[in-house]
Amino acid sequence: ALSKPTVSLALAALVDSGLVREAGRTSGGKGPTAVLYELNPQAGWVVGIDVGRDWVRAAIADVTGQFVARRDERARVRSAKTLITQIGAIAHGLAADAGIKWRQVTFATVGSPGVFEPERGQVALAYSLPGWGRQGLVELVQEELGTNIAFENDVNLAALGEQWRGLGKGVDNFVYLHLGTGVGMGMVLNGELYRGGSGAAGEVGYLPLSGTDTKDPSSLRRGPLDSAASATGVVAEAMRLGMELPLTAKHVFEEARKGDRA
């Protein structure tokens, strides 16, 4: 056990650094009252950025996980450059919304479709975001944000969100299946996110389907299951069967098709 002087010195150092703060004193017991301490929520700030084909959503939180500001914008996916510029503007705007300086943000995590390859500094299999798989993407985002960053697959992050505050809380083993603009899966095994040897464990969109040609360029680009079960795949099948769709659905479908051809 640590001695009282050692504990006092350690606590004083934490207080001086701003990591903890006094939270009151004990009362009602025998003997002298004791000072209580708690984690200082404003000791640091973190930003999470969700980059998708249609939307860029971002939020800023203190170190306790309490959200203090959020922004949602239509994604500007004409090129990787326009998207990176948008990410920077949103992130810095969040700091202003929270009333803090950007230099107080200690970490930012970027979630997007695809598989992050740390040794190459790029994201693979992100077909829905033009130019997102370019070499040096991570360095470009790092330069734009100017803070410590991490890249992660968006569905993996959704699985971690379920583990933190959702249906996966307290569950050691579960699977999160996402059906949206694309098809993806996040797996938590023995309480830990499972990525697989190459990081592509959740890329179930590439599973072959009966009646599909796995050598077809579209299958190699998106994957048979993704092409069939994603939002664009469902809309395409509905249109093929002659179903009348709202103009908004047709517009989204055409925009997604443009992205597939990019």
Side-chain angles (χ1 to χ4, degrees):
L2 297 175
S3 65
K4 289 183 179 180
T6 300
V7 172
S8 295
L9 286 172
L11 279 172
L14 291 173
V15 171
D16 290 341
S17 67
L19 292 175
V20 300
R21 64 186 183 187
E22 290 188 13
R25 288 179 174 271
T26 58
S27 62
K30 295 181 178 180
T33 61
V35 179
L36 302 177
Y37 294 87
E38 66 179 4
L39 179 66
N40 180 9
Q42 298 183 351
W45 305 86
V46 292
V47 169
I49 306 167
D50 177 27
V51 183
R53 170 74 195 181
D54 297 322
W55 292 91
V56 175
R57 309 182 193 274
I60 186 169
D62 60 30
V63 293
T64 67
Q66 182 67 39
F67 295 107
V68 293
R70 172 173 172 163
R71 288 192 176 194
D72 296 359
E73 290 186 8
R74 283 284 183 181
R76 302 169 191 166
V77 294
R78 292 186 301 274
S79 68
K81 182 178 180 180
T82 58
L83 192 52
I84 291 171
T85 300
Q86 182 183 22
I87 288 171
I90 291 175
H92 287 81
L94 279 173
D97 293 344
I100 64 171
K101 303 289 186 181
W102 177 251
R103 64 176 179 270
Q104 293 176 262
V105 175
T106 55
F107 206 90
T109 295
V110 179
S112 78
V115 177
F116 174 55
E117 299 178 343
E119 68 282 354
R120 300 174 63 187
Q122 68 182 96
V123 179
L125 305 180
Y127 69 87
S128 62
L129 300 177
W132 202 244
R134 65 186 294 184
Q135 189 79 29
L137 173 73
V138 176
E139 287 77 11
L140 291 172
V141 176
Q142 173 83 67
E143 182 180 342
E144 182 70 29
L145 292 179
T147 190
N148 297 315
I149 67 169
F151 271 76
E152 183 58 83
N153 176 267
D154 53 357
V155 180
N156 280 348
L157 290 175
L160 290 176
E162 289 294 332
Q163 183 185 39
W164 179 33
R165 290 189 173 181
L167 296 176
K169 189 173 183 179
V171 180
D172 288 337
N173 302 285
F174 68 90
V175 169
Y176 174 92
L177 181 64
H178 174 82
L179 300 176
T181 305
V183 176
M185 184 174 71
M187 291 180 286
V188 172
L189 304 178
N190 296 321
E192 300 289 337
L193 179 67
Y194 179 75
R195 297 181 178 86
S198 63
E203 296 299 314
V204 294
Y206 290 89
L207 289 173
L209 296 178
S210 176
T212 60
D213 181 4
T214 57
K215 296 182 180 180
D216 184 87
S218 63
S219 292
L220 293 174
R221 183 176 176 80
R222 293 192 56 179
L225 180 60
D226 192 296
S227 298
S230 66
T232 52
V234 172
V235 171
E237 181 65 12
M239 294 174 67
R240 187 186 71 81
L241 296 174
M243 183 180 295
E244 288 294 328
L245 298 174
L247 290 177
T248 51
K250 291 182 179 179
H251 173 72
V252 170
F253 172 71
E254 289 302 325
E255 288 299 309
R257 289 289 297 273
K258 289 178 184 177
D260 290 346
R261 294 192 293 266

